Amino acid sequence: QSALTQPASVSGSPGQSITISCTGTSSDVGGYRYVSWYQQHPGKVPKVMIYDVSERPSGVSNRFSGSKSGNMASLTISGLQAEDEADYYCSSYTSSNTWVFGGGTKLTVL
Amino acid sequence: QVQLQQSGPGLVKSSQTLSLTCAISGDFVSSNSGAWDWIRQSPSRGLEWLGRTYYRSQWYHNYGLSVRSRITINPDTSKNQVSLLLTSVTPEDSAVYYCARSCGGSSCYAFHAWGQGTVVTVSS
């Protein structure tokens, strides 16, 4: 199972919006509404920010939103804040009854 | 609120078996509404899902393709914990290993709670 494809890095200024893409295949991202997104600060444990494509766990800011079209999912962060600087990973359930992750995207807040 | 506390050795020799434990509080390993996963992270392989166990009137397991021939995930109801065994390890298995919980009142397709992580180094 190949990893999902994410851009290595994205950046934005405080207050701006950014979008991180996550591209898979019809056997994972395109085949199910089971895409999730994780935020990981350096040396910390990953934290789920979005699940089931667009659902937000309790306590996660509504500045985080998710969507999907075909084989590509996206995470959008609006009103960028310094604390959003972190690595972001997407994940998808697959037709093999397994899970696959993306390679990660480093978000820099300028 | 569920909490996961991992334990196990940080150094394993090549060809030996990696063994880690994840102690669960705030839920039961045999809960009909939980699922227990192991995930690892390394610079070379990124995040990699290894496998899952869960109880729905009987125990179920499923494992990642890359480790399927070497992995076992065992629930221990007497200690309310779940263990990971990975046999015949090589330096490529060096990573930070995490246990995680899915489901538990939310989606079974995302990892909602994570252990603190265990750094495992495989020496050649």
Side-chain angles (χ1 to χ4, degrees), chain A residues 38 40 45 52 89 97 99, chain B residues 41 52 62 107 109 111 114:
Chain A
Y38 302 86
Q40 187 177 33
V45 175
D52 293 359
Y89 296 89
N97 196 22
W99 277 260
Chain B
Q41 183 175 28
R52 164 178 289 194
N62 59 313
S107 171
Y109 299 92
F111 312 106
W114 296 65

Side-chain angles (χ1 to χ4, degrees), chain B residues 85-117:
Chain B
L85 296 174
L86 188 65
T87 63
S88 305
V89 297
T90 71
E92 283 221 337
D93 293 309
S94 297
V96 180
Y97 285 75
Y98 295 101
C99 61
R101 190 191 75 166
S102 310
C103 308
S106 188
S107 171
C108 290
Y109 299 92
F111 312 106
H112 298 276
W114 296 65
Q116 80 276 22

Side-chain angles (χ1 to χ4, degrees), chain B residues 1-123:
Chain B
Q1 182 177 344
V2 68
Q3 291 189 325
L4 307 175
Q5 181 67 38
Q6 299 176 218
S7 59
L11 186 63
V12 183
K13 293 182 179 179
S14 284
S15 79
Q16 295 191 342
T17 297
L18 181 161
S19 177
L20 298 175
T21 298
C22 177
I24 301 161
S25 57
D27 198 356
F28 294 100
V29 67
S30 56
S31 162
N32 270 293
S33 62
W36 311 95
D37 299 83
W38 284 95
I39 295 162
R40 69 183 178 184
Q41 183 175 28
S42 66
S44 58
R45 302 171 74 97
L47 282 165
E48 181 181 13
W49 179 83
L50 300 176
R52 164 178 289 194
T53 188
Y54 59 98
Y55 184 78
R56 300 290 185 270
S57 301
Q58 66 180 64
W59 287 102
Y60 293 89
H61 309 267
N62 59 313
Y63 299 125
L65 298 174
S66 66
V67 294
R68 189 160 291 176
S69 63
R70 300 190 291 130
I71 190 174
T72 304
I73 295 176
N74 282 326
D76 183 336
T77 57
S78 66
K79 296 181 179 178
N80 202 35
Q81 63 187 29
V82 60
S83 65
L84 167 69
L85 296 174
L86 188 65
T87 63
S88 305
V89 297
T90 71
E92 283 221 337
D93 293 309
S94 297
V96 180
Y97 285 75
Y98 295 101
C99 61
R101 190 191 75 166
S102 310
C103 308
S106 188
S107 171
C108 290
Y109 299 92
F111 312 106
H112 298 276
W114 296 65
Q116 80 276 22
T118 301
V119 178
V120 176
T121 302
V122 178
S123 62

Side-chain angles (χ1 to χ4, degrees), chain A residues 4-81:
Chain A
L4 306 176
T5 301
Q6 298 181 231
S9 63
V10 298
S11 62
S13 299
Q16 288 185 333
S17 295
I18 63 94
T19 296
I20 299 172
S21 61
C22 171
T23 304
T25 69
S26 58
S27 295
D28 39 63
V29 174
Y32 307 91
R33 287 194 62 83
Y34 297 138
V35 176
S36 51
W37 290 90
Y38 302 86
Q39 176 192 65
Q40 187 177 33
H41 287 107
K44 300 298 185 182
V45 175
K47 173 188 176 183
V48 61
M49 306 302 283
I50 294 288
Y51 65 93
D52 293 359
V53 173
S54 58
E55 299 297 315
R56 247 188 337 269
S58 173
V60 172
S61 170
N62 59 9
R63 297 186 298 105
F64 291 82
S65 62
S67 63
K68 190 188 83 152
S69 178
N71 295 338
M72 189 174 78
S74 298
L75 172 71
T76 298
I77 308 173
S78 59
L80 211 55
Q81 299 179 0

